[in-house]
Amino acid sequence: MRIGIDVGGTNLKAGLVDEEGNILTVCRTPVGRFTDGQDFAKVLAELALKAAAQGGVRPGKITGVGIGIPGAVREGQVLYTCNLPLRDVPLADWFRETLDVPVRLGNDADCAAVGEALRGAGRGIRNFLLVTLGTGIGAGLILNGRLYTGMGAAGEVGHILVERDGALCNCGRRGCWETYGSATGLIRMAKEAMAQHPESLLHATAAEVGDVNGRTVFQAKEQGDPTAAAVVDRYIHYLSVGIANIINCFYPEVVALSGGIANQGEALLAPLREAVAPQVYGNQYLQTHTRILSCTL
């Protein structure tokens, strides 16, 4: 048995996985605050042990752990993350102080892209891009049937510039795509709109779950709220700019979206495809077009 761990900017998830890649149990916990990288590694190892215990698997039966990190990694080290305070952290070594098994690290979007290429939306597709829409934005690139990592940190598409002198990004620049096209960006724009429009249904939909999230914004739009509709339209505009940019760079067969916002299905995808099309170079002359889908895993 193996354990897969997804490190997000907001939540941590660990899954017990069998030899065929089927997820048997899943444990989740908020990232919260941690004192240092060593403490963080212990939290991950304990989460892995919890996922194994839920599946009735003893630690000695775990043959390996794979960890997806939202940033740059190399040979068991986290070099840099934008949305977590991790720099030059020997995460694999510190993880093994609690759970002594082989540990492999990868960029989270790369891991997701490989998974989708093997068993999901990218199966059988040689040129496939996965875009993660979460706390930030990342991408995994499957080009000519192989994962492309460049010198180790390819796919940081969240830091394409989409708004000159725009909102401040956690990376230190202004106007990055992830400040507008991520779930965090959608929530920020929704809260700004709520402050300007106290009459908006956004207040009621957010109150139902205790806070604003991507689902509540789309829900308020479906209920006919003009403020929510304007926020969604603005969000889709920025999302389309980034996706058109990466299509123009790579011209893949498929761009698949991952993350909670992608669960909106055609409510997101239909207007997004319409917004992307005129921005793609030579769109009206191309014989084949990149398909924009949701991930299946």
Side-chain angles (χ1 to χ4, degrees):
M1 295 289 185
R2 297 182 175 88
I3 302 287
I5 298 178
D6 175 31
V7 175
T10 305
N11 295 295
L12 308 174
K13 288 170 281 189
L16 177 67
V17 182
D18 66 18
E19 299 300 321
E20 285 71 46
N22 299 303
I23 298 174
L24 306 178
T25 64
V26 176
C27 293
R28 297 176 171 86
T29 188
V31 171
R33 295 186 180 275
F34 50 90
T35 56
D36 55 32
Q38 194 163 13
D39 182 47
F40 185 65
K42 184 177 181 181
V43 169
L44 295 182
E46 290 175 346
L47 190 64
L49 288 169
K50 184 177 179 181
Q54 284 190 2
V57 175
R58 292 180 284 107
K61 296 296 185 180
I62 300 172
T63 57
V65 174
I67 305 176
I69 301 288
V73 301
R74 183 177 61 209
E75 297 176 355
Q77 284 199 319
V78 179
L79 304 180
Y80 169 77
T81 60
C82 180
N83 295 308
L84 292 171
L86 299 173
R87 308 286 185 277
D88 298 317
V89 172
L91 189 68
D93 289 342
W94 285 344
F95 184 99
R96 286 194 294 266
E97 291 179 1
T98 301
L99 177 56
D100 189 15
V101 296
V103 179
R104 296 287 297 274
L105 304 186
N107 173 269
D108 60 345
D110 288 348
C111 294
V114 170
E116 291 286 341
L118 292 174
R119 297 177 63 87
R123 184 182 296 187
I125 298 172
R126 291 189 58 77
N127 294 287
F128 168 75
L129 269 62
L130 178 141
V131 177
T132 59
L133 305 175
T135 303
I137 292 181
L141 316 175
I142 305 293
L143 303 178
N144 293 321
R146 298 179 64 86
L147 178 67
Y148 178 78
T149 60
M151 292 189 293
E156 291 296 339
V157 298
H159 304 287
I160 294 171
L161 187 70
V162 298
E163 187 70 78
R164 184 176 179 181
D165 299 325
L168 181 65
C169 180
N170 285 336
C171 76
R173 298 175 68 213
R174 288 189 175 274
C176 289
W177 187 26
E178 74 173 40
T179 62
Y180 293 91
S182 65
T184 307
L186 174 59
I187 291 167
R188 175 181 57 80
M189 291 187 288
K191 288 183 175 180
E192 291 171 352
M194 290 167 67
Q196 297 171 6
H197 297 277
E199 79 288 354
S200 170
L201 280 176
L202 283 167
H203 295 275
T205 55
E208 290 176 7
V209 295
D211 202 357
V212 184
N213 60 39
R215 184 180 61 81
T216 61
V217 179
F218 278 87
Q219 181 182 343
K221 178 188 176 182
E222 290 170 4
Q223 294 175 2
D225 182 56
T227 301
V231 171
V232 170
D233 288 349
R234 185 181 180 211
Y235 173 73
I236 288 174
H237 162 72
Y238 283 116
L239 190 57
S240 74
V241 170
I243 288 176
N245 282 341
I246 59 177
I247 289 174
N248 287 336
C249 287
F250 298 104
Y251 191 32
E253 296 164 69
V254 168
V255 171
L257 305 183
S258 172
I261 291 177
N263 292 333
Q264 297 301 319
E266 289 301 309
L268 171 69
L269 295 176
L272 178 61
R273 294 183 188 114
E274 185 177 353
V276 167
Q279 301 178 64
V280 174
Y281 176 74
N283 180 69
Q284 60 183 316
Y285 303 107
L286 295 174
Q287 297 301 308
T288 56
H289 300 266
T290 298
R291 291 178 287 147
I292 301 173
L293 311 172
S294 293
C295 289
T296 57
L297 299 182

